[in-house]
């Protein structure tokens, strides 16, 4: 994993499981959100200074149905993210969104908004910020 990778398996997980059964993930696994509204993964991203950063979420969705999530930054709603089907659970794609981060630690939470839960979540990268979770060199 690159120094700026925030692996989902190292994040705070509520109603989800770390799994390894679909190849192509980075790090040591991915998070399978429980198929319920409200399951979430929360990443901690350290920003050296406040500003707009691009968040890039790497995911897989082997279904043909979108797996949208709501996004919050430090507890404040920051819109929604669409995670459409990628064609297979082993096909990983990225979705990006620009958000305002504060200086220091930022809590980036993605929460399922449908009964299908979120996608399989591999990692989050954030442009221009240092990693907060002891990256693997
Ligand atoms: C399958 C797949 C899981 C996925 C799940 C889902 O069980 O193997 O990786 O998370 O479907 O639909 O959420």
């Amino acid at each position: 994993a690159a120094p700026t990778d925030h692996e989902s398996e190292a994040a705070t997980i509520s109603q989800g499981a770390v799994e390894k059964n679909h190849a192509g993930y980075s790090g040591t696994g991915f998070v399978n959100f429980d198929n319920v509204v409200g399951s979430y993964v929360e990443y901690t991203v350290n920003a050296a200074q406040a500003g707009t950063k691009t968040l890039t979420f790497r995911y897989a969705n082997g279904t043909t149905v979108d797996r949208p999530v709501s996004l919050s930054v430090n507890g404040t709603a920051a819109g929604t993210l669409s995670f459409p089907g990628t064609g297979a659970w082993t096909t990983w794609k990225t979705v990006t969104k620009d958000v305002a981060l504060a200086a220091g630690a930022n809590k980036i939470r993605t929460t399922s908004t449908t009964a299908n839960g979120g996608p399989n979540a591999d990692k989050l990268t954030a442009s221009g910020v240092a990693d907060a979770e002891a990256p693997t060199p």
Side-chain angles (χ1 to χ4, degrees), residues 19 21-22 30 32-33 35 63 67 89 116 118-120:
E19 297 181 352
N21 59 325
H22 300 299
F30 58 86
N32 174 353
F33 284 81
N35 302 112
T63 78
R67 296 278 180 105
W89 291 110
N116 289 328
N120 285 352

Side-chain angles (χ1 to χ4, degrees), residues 21-120:
N21 59 325
H22 300 299
Y25 54 81
S26 71
T28 58
F30 58 86
V31 170
N32 174 353
F33 284 81
D34 286 359
N35 302 112
V36 294
V37 173
S39 50
Y40 72 77
V41 177
E42 183 177 88
Y43 307 86
T44 301
V45 173
N46 268 339
Q49 51 193 13
T52 300
K53 315 290 181 184
T54 300
L55 303 183
T56 300
F57 296 88
R58 187 167 189 261
Y59 78 102
N61 176 359
T63 78
T64 57
V65 179
D66 189 16
R67 296 278 180 105
V69 304
S70 60
L71 180 69
S72 71
V73 177
N74 299 321
T76 300
T80 59
L81 292 167
S82 178
F83 291 106
T86 57
W89 291 110
T90 49
T91 300
W92 302 86
K93 295 190 175 178
T94 56
V95 162
T96 63
K97 188 172 178 71
D98 288 350
V99 298
L101 296 188
N106 292 267
K107 300 292 188 185
I108 311 292
R109 186 182 295 195
T110 54
T111 304
S112 306
T113 60
T114 77
N116 289 328
N120 285 352

